[in-house]
C-alpha cells in the first residue's frame, strides 16, 4: 500500500516548544500507579479514582503523563506545548487546512491544561497543542523527595509509522528538525529523530506498522540513576519488566533503558544526549547494518522492541487502524538468517553479535 | 557614581542562539596550554605559536575558547552565535543605535569564524556576534579520546558589572530572559542569570566592580567528572588552582567547581542545571542572606571569588576602566563581622557556617 | 604531663575481626532518630522508647550503632567483633593483665549481642569485644529499600588521644597494623590509621585532648551517594549539619564528608579507600605541613574538626576526664598566623589555601 | 566418568592472603598489549619482547597479570599470595601429600616474584604460591595516570571444573570459604564462590568441562568506570569484544562486564560486592532456575559464556586434558527448549526473559 504524500500547508505552523505530556489509557489503574509512582517514583500532581496526573521532578507544568483507566490500553493524546496562546489557533488552522479532524476546548481536555486543540494528524496520531497550564512546584531542589532513580524531565515521544520519509516531511513542515536517522544504501529510512527543544528529539519516527506509540521517555541526571531502576526491579522480582538495556545508544549517544508497564506501554529511561539547538546542527545518518547504531556496545535489540507498540486512539476514543509497513523491516535486515550487521564496516565477515553467541 | 539607564533601541535585536566562545589573552601561552589542554583536556582544533583554538567534546563549531598570547591577561571577546547571517546585520545596527562602537569583519576576527561584528557594549564588555563558522568533528562518540573529566559543552559566561539592574534591563532588551537572581528585601539585585538556550544561563551578571569577566563555564556529563578534575589537580600538586568547590549551587541547582588558570582567569566546571525553554519558566529569586543560595550545602564562598575577576578589553585591545559598585556588596552583607546569613529563615540566631567554625 | 608507656602484655591478644558497632548516648532520642534514620537512612533492627539499634544495608550482625537516651552526650562503648567465642576470654585476660577494669556479661550488654567483655582501656576508651551476635537480614540486594545515599557498611572509628605514639604502640600490641600516619620532621605523630580488616582502618588515633571520640564512619558505594546526602541536607534546610567536605582525603584516598548529629557527635560518610590486607602493606607517612594530607584538593580543615569531639564513658557510665595534649597541635602548626602548609614541597612561599583567600 | 574424591591432607595448609596474579599465554603479544594496556589501561611494570608484566592502579606487588607470548592461548599459572615465606614451604608439603607434582624455585618463576612453588593441583590447575615480591609504586593517588575506566585491583579468578562439589571440598580444605553458590533442588551444585580476602571471592568454581580458566576479574571503583569501557570499545569499533553485560550480578551483588581478549581469554570488570570477612558470614545459595541469579535484571547469559573457557597448562607447559562435566549443565537446565527459569518463584508460567522476546 502506497501512502500518499502529505501536502505542505500554506498556513503558518504553531511554534512548538517541546513535547509536554502523554495521555494514556491503562486497564488497571492501581497496577499502573504501582509502576509509575511506587516503582518509577514519578510525582503525583493530582489523582482521582479514574485518572492520575504525574510529573517529573524538574517540571513546572501540571503534568507530563496522564494515566486514565479504560477498557483498551492505548494512547489518547501526545501533547506538545506551544510558545503562546495564539499558537493554539495556528495549530487548529494548520490541521484544518490539512483536512484533519480537530477538536478545540477552551477549558482543556484534562485538568491543569487550558485552551487546547486535539487533532487526528495525517499519520493517525492524536496530537494536542496547548499553551495554558497550571504551574506547579518545580521539585528540582527537593532532594529529600527524590529517590535514587529520580526521573527529572520528560524527554521525548517515539511513534511507529509505516513510511518514515512521509512522516518526516510532515513533521519538518510542522517545524521539527531532524537530528539523526537510520538509512540503508538504497535510501530506505528506518527511523528519524526530530526535535524542537535543544535535545536530540521531542519525538522520533520508527518504521513499522502504525500509527502506534513506541515509547515515552523520561530523563535522569546520571547513568547510575538508570542502573538503580534495574536494581530495584530486581529487588522487587519484577526484572521481567526490563525489555532492553541498559545500554548506550549509538543514535543520540544517550544512555538508555526500556521498560514495559503493566499494559505493555513502553517507557524509556534516558540520559545525556547532546545540544542540538543550532540551525546547522549536523545531522547524523547511521547505516542500518551498523551493529552499534541502536546499541553502541553491539548488544542485541530484542525482537519485541521492534514488533510491539501501543495502539493510539482517534478523537472519539477508538483505536486507529494499524497500517502495515511495506518497506524493509529493520529487524528483518539486521537480525537472524536473512539479516546482517557489522561492527567494523570493512570486515569481511559481517556478524551480528547475538548471532555468534546464541 | 550613578550610571545612566541604557535606552531600549527601536532596532530589532539579533536572534542569539547561545554563548559560543570566549577569546582571552594569556601571558604565558605554554602554561595556559598545560592548564587547558593537558589538565582540563579541552580539544585543540588548531594552534600556532601565539594562539590556540579549543573546543569541548560535543561541539561542532570551530572553537569555544581562544587563548591568545599577550601582555596583559584580559578578555578580548565574548562571542555569541546568532541564528542566521542576517542577525549579524541586526546586531550591528542594534549597537549602533545604542551609540556603541562596533567593528564588522566579513572574514571574522579569528580563524574558524566568518562574518562577525564586535562591539564595546553599554556595560563595557567586548561582545561578538557571528553565524558563519567552520564545522569540525563533534567528538561526542569519541570515548577513546575523552578523559575522566571530559568537558563536553561550553555552558555560560559570567560578567561582573556595578549595577546589575541596569545590565539586566539591557540584556532583556537584547533578548535574554532572567531565570534566577539574588536580591535583598530592599530591592538591591546582587546577581542575575540570563539565558538564550534552554539552560539556566548563557551569561550572568554578578554585582561588583566592572566591567570584568568573572568566569567561563564548561559542562561535564556527571558529577564524578568534576570530582576527578580535583583529584587530578591533587595528583599534579596543583590543588591550589582550586578556588572554590566542588559543591552544589543553590542558584541553578548545578554541581560546580571553580578553578583559576595560570593568569587567574576563572573557569567553572558545571553540570546538571534544568530546562528553562518555556516562556513562562518560573524565575527563582534568592534572598542574599540565604546561606544556601550560592552553595546549597552552606559551604563558604571564599572572598577571592567575590573580589577577583579578569579585565576586559576595548576594541583597540586596551583594558576597559573598572567602575566601582556603589550598591551593597554581597560579600560585605553576608560574610564577616557586619554580614550575616541564615540556614533557616526563621532561626533566631542567624549564623554563617564558616563564621561558627573559623 | 607525661603519660607513662603502656606495657606489652604477655597474654595473647584476641583476634579482632573488625570494628562492629558504637554505643552512644544521645540527649534527645527523637531528634537523633530523625538524623540517623530519616535523614541518613540507617536500618532500624529494633527500637524501644530509650534505645534504637541501627545497621547498615550490607550488615548481617544485629547492629552497627546503638542510640541510647541519656543525660550527657557521650560514647558508652566502641565494640569490636572477634574471630571466635574464645577470643572474648583472651580479651578479658589481656586487659586484666594490663590492669584495666573489665566487665564480662555472658548475655551481652545490649540486645543482639551475646557474651562480651567491656573494658576501660589504657587510653581511657570503653572498648567492647564480642563474637556472639544475632544474625539479621543482609539487605545488600534490597535496592527497593536503599535510598540515594544508602550507607552500606560501618567502616571505622576515630579516637582522640593526647599521645598518638603511646596509643599506637598499645594498638599494635593488640594486633592492629598502621596503614598511614601524619608526622612532622621532628618525629611528632599527629595521627595514625590502624586496621584489622582489609581496609585503611578500623580505628584511627587523632592527636588531641582525650580520651574523646572523634567520629564514627559509614561507607557508601559511590561518591554520588555522599553528594546526595549533602543535597538532601540542603533540601531539609539542615546544611549546617555539614561540618567539613565533601572532599577527597589524602590519607586513605577515600572520598569523605563529616556531619554533626544533633548532639554534636561527628559522623563521617566515606567511600573507596584501598586494600591493605597484606602483611607488608606499604605504610604511607604524610608530612603534617602537606596541605593535601587531609584534603587532597587543599580545601581547609575547619577548626571545629580539630577541636570538637565526644566524651567517652567509663564502665560506670561517667565521663572520662579529658587529658590535654602537650605535643604540637596539628591545627596550630598548619593553620593561621603561626602555622603553614604547602601544596608543593619546594615552593618558596608556603601558603595555606584558605589563608590566601580569607 | 566419576571423579574420585580428593583426600584432606594432614599437613597444615598455607595461609593464603589473596589471588595475586595470573600468568597467561597469548599468541600475539602486540595485540594483547593493545587490549590490556591501550584499551583497558593496565599499568606496565616491566616488559620485554616476549612478556609484559601488568598491574592495577592500587597494587603494590610487582604485577597482577603476565602476558607471555606462546604458541597456544592458555593459562600458565594462577598465583596466590601467602602470608609469610614459610607458607610457601607449607604449600609445597601440602600438595606433595596430595600426590601432586610440585616445582619450587627460590628465585621465582617470573620477574618480581621470589621464592615460589607451582603445583599441578588435584583439579588440574597450575596454582602458584609465593610471598616474596618486589614492591612497586601504589598508584592509587596518581589520578593523572588513571583513565575513566581505571582498573584499581585484581579481584578474583574463576575456574571451570566438571565436579563443583569435589573442587569445593578441596578448596575448603585449602582454607577457602564459600560465600555463595548455585544449586538445584536435587543437590547439584552448578557453581561456588570462594574467598580468602574479605570479598565474595578470590576464586570461583564454575561447573563445566575442565580444567579450564573461565575468567580473571579486575575491579573499578564505580559503575560508570565499567560503562566507560564499553563506550570506549564502541568508539574503537571493537564492541564485539563485549561478550556479556554490563549488568548486575545476583550472586555477589556486584556490577559486571565480561570481555574477551584477542585470544578469547575472558576478562571480567567488576565492582561493589560486599564484606565477607566474618567466619559466620552468611552463605547465599541461589536456585539454578532463578533467572536473577547471574543477572539481577534477568538479562540472558549468552551461551558462549557457558561454553567457552581457556585451556590451562601443566608444569611442562602442555595443555591439560579437558574432562567433561557429567552433571547437569546450567545452560541446558535454564536456557532454550529444555530449560526454564523464573523471575518469581511462584509464577505459574515460568519464563526465561530472552525466550519470550527472541
Amino acid at each position: 500500500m502506497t501512502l500518499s504524500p502529505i501536502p505542505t500547508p500554506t498556513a503558518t505552523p504553531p511554534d512548538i516548544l517541546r513535547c509536554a505530556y502523554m495521555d494514556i489509557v491503562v486497564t488497571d489503574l492501581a497496577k499502573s500507579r504501582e509502576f509509575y509512582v511506587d516503582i518509577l517514583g514519578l510525582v503525583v500532581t493530582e489523582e482521582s479514582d479514574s485518572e492520575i496526573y504525574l510529573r517529573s521532578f524538574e517540571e513546572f507544568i501540571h503534568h507530563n503523563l496522564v494515566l486514565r483507566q479504560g477498557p483498551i490500553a492505548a494512547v489518547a493524546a501526545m501533547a506538545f506545548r506551544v510558545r503562546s496562546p495564539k499558537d493554539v489557533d495556528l495549530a487548529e488552522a494548520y490541521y484544518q487546512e490539512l483536512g484533519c479532524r480537530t477538536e478545540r476546548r477552551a477549558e482543556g481536555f484534562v485538568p491543569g491544561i487550558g485552551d487546547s486543540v486535539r487533532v487526528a494528524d495525517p499519520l493517525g496520531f492524536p496530537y494536542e497543542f496547548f499553551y495554558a497550564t497550571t504551574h506547579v512546584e518545580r521539585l528540582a531542589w527537593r532532594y529529600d523527595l527524590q529517590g535514587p532513580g529520580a526521573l527529572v524531565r520528560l524527554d521525548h515521544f517515539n511513534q511507529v509509522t509505516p513510511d518514515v520519509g512521509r512522516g518526516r516531511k510532515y513533521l519538518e513542515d510542522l517545524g521539527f528538525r531532524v537530528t539523526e536517522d537510520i538509512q540503508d544504501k538504497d535510501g530506505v529510512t528506518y527511523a528519524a529523530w526530530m526535535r524542537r527543544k535543544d535535545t536530540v528529539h521531542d519525538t522520533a519516527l520508527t518504521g513499522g506498522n502504525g500509527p502506534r506509540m513506541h515509547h515515552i521517555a523520561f530523563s535522569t541526571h546520571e547513568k547510575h540513576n538508570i542502573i538503580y531502576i534495574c536494581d530495584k526491579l530486581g529487588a522487587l522480582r519484577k526484572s521481567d519488566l526490563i525489555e532492553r538495556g541498559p545500554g548506550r545508544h549509538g543514535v543520540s549517544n544517550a544512555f538508555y533503558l526500556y521498560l514495559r508497564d503493566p499494559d505493555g506501554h513502553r517507557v524509556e529511561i534516558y540520559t545525556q544526549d547532546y545540544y542540538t539547538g543550532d540551525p546547522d546542527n549536523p545531522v547524523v545518518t547511521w547505516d542500518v547494518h551498523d551493529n552499534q547504531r541502536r546499541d553502541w556496545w553491539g548488544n542485541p535489540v530484542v525482537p519485541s522492541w521492534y514488533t510491539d507498540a501501543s495502539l493510539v486512539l482517534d478523537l472519539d476514543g477508538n483505536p486507529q487502524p494499524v497500517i502495515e509497513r511495506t518497506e524493509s523491516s529493520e529487524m528483518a535486515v539486521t537480525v537472524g538468517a536473512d539479516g546482517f550487521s557489522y561492527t567494523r564496516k570493512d570486515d569481511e565477515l559481517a556478524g551480528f553479535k547475538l548471532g555468534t553467541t546464541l
Side-chain angles (χ1 to χ4, degrees), chain A:
Chain A
M1 172 178 173
T2 304
L3 297 162
S4 56
I6 300 164
T8 303
T10 59
T12 302
D15 187 351
I16 298 170
L17 291 169
R18 55 165 171 141
C19 62
Y21 79 88
M22 200 182 279
D23 183 342
I24 65 174
V25 181
V26 299
T27 61
D28 184 330
L29 192 63
K31 275 194 184 166
S32 295
R33 194 186 195 287
E34 184 194 10
F35 179 78
Y36 288 102
V37 179
D38 298 340
I39 298 178
L40 291 185
L42 284 170
V43 179
V44 178
T45 299
E46 68 175 83
E47 60 185 322
S48 70
D49 286 352
S50 57
E51 292 158 26
I52 305 177
Y53 296 85
L54 299 169
R55 70 182 192 275
S56 53
F57 279 96
E58 294 182 0
E59 188 56 81
F60 72 94
I61 68 170
H62 187 265
H63 56 258
N64 298 129
L65 182 65
V66 182
L67 305 177
R68 176 186 306 289
Q69 174 78 41
I72 299 173
V75 173
M78 304 172 77
F80 296 91
R81 194 168 193 217
V82 292
R83 187 168 298 277
S84 71
K86 76 170 173 45
D87 286 295
V88 181
D89 301 332
L90 291 179
E92 187 175 27
Y94 188 86
Y95 282 95
Q96 284 175 346
E97 180 177 345
L98 278 168
C100 297
R101 180 172 160 195
T102 65
E103 185 177 343
R104 181 77 175 260
R105 288 199 196 164
E107 75 290 5
F109 290 80
V110 293
I113 306 293
D115 180 27
S116 318
V117 64
R118 284 192 175 180
V119 309
D121 88 350
L123 306 181
F125 288 94
Y127 268 22
E128 175 181 302
F129 302 90
F130 72 95
Y131 170 75
T133 181
T134 306
H135 283 210
V136 291
E137 186 187 354
R138 174 176 259 158
L139 298 168
W141 289 265
R142 291 298 303 274
Y143 292 99
D144 52 323
L145 302 180
Q146 296 177 25
L151 304 182
V152 296
R153 306 187 198 175
L154 172 68
D155 193 84
H156 63 263
F157 304 147
N158 188 306
Q159 311 171 233
V160 188
T161 195
D163 184 336
V164 172
R166 181 174 176 263
R168 169 187 185 150
K169 190 259 178 196
Y170 149 63
L171 286 176
E172 286 178 328
D173 286 345
L174 189 58
F176 286 85
R177 290 175 177 281
V178 171
T179 55
E180 305 201 24
D181 62 10
I182 295 177
Q183 301 189 15
D184 66 19
K185 65 179 188 322
D186 301 324
V188 176
T189 299
Y190 294 85
W193 283 257
M194 315 199 68
R195 68 118 190 147
R196 287 293 306 175
K197 68 180 177 326
D198 294 350
T199 64
V200 170
H201 51 324
D202 286 279
T203 195
L205 297 178
T206 298
N209 306 338
R212 291 186 301 162
M213 189 277 287
H214 194 270
H215 63 262
I216 178 172
F218 291 92
S219 298
T220 64
H221 276 302
E222 301 202 334
K223 296 182 287 290
H224 63 80
N225 302 117
I226 293 181
I227 291 167
Y228 171 80
I229 293 170
C230 298
D231 289 337
K232 183 176 181 180
L233 286 166
L236 296 170
R237 286 285 161 182
K238 289 179 179 292
S239 63
D240 48 354
L241 297 181
I242 300 174
E243 184 186 38
R244 181 183 156 208
R248 168 78 64 189
H249 283 308
V251 174
S252 82
N253 201 28
F255 193 76
Y256 73 87
L257 170 71
Y258 292 99
L259 306 176
R260 302 294 289 272
D261 87 358
D263 282 294
H265 295 306
R266 187 178 288 107
V267 177
E268 182 177 12
I269 319 294
Y270 180 94
T271 192
Q272 294 164 15
D273 60 5
Y274 55 89
Y275 168 82
T276 60
D278 286 14
D280 55 344
N281 179 67
V283 175
V284 181
T285 291
W286 298 78
D287 181 351
V288 73
H289 298 296
D290 181 346
N291 196 33
Q292 295 186 184
R293 74 196 181 290
R294 289 209 178 264
D295 185 274
W296 188 242
W297 312 334
N299 282 333
V301 178
V302 292
S304 65
W305 191 91
Y306 283 124
T307 58
D308 296 2
S310 298
L311 294 174
V312 301
L313 302 181
D314 64 20
L315 298 192
D316 296 318
N318 299 315
Q320 289 279 14
V322 172
I323 299 168
E324 209 169 323
R325 174 172 167 92
T326 54
E327 287 182 302
S328 303
S329 134
E330 183 172 340
M331 183 169 72
V333 302
T334 59
V335 182
D338 301 328
F340 74 98
S341 296
Y342 57 80
T343 301
R344 287 164 295 277
K345 197 161 191 180
D346 303 324
D347 275 9
E348 283 179 42
L349 193 65
F352 177 48
K353 196 161 72 167
L354 183 65
T356 62
T357 56
L358 201 66

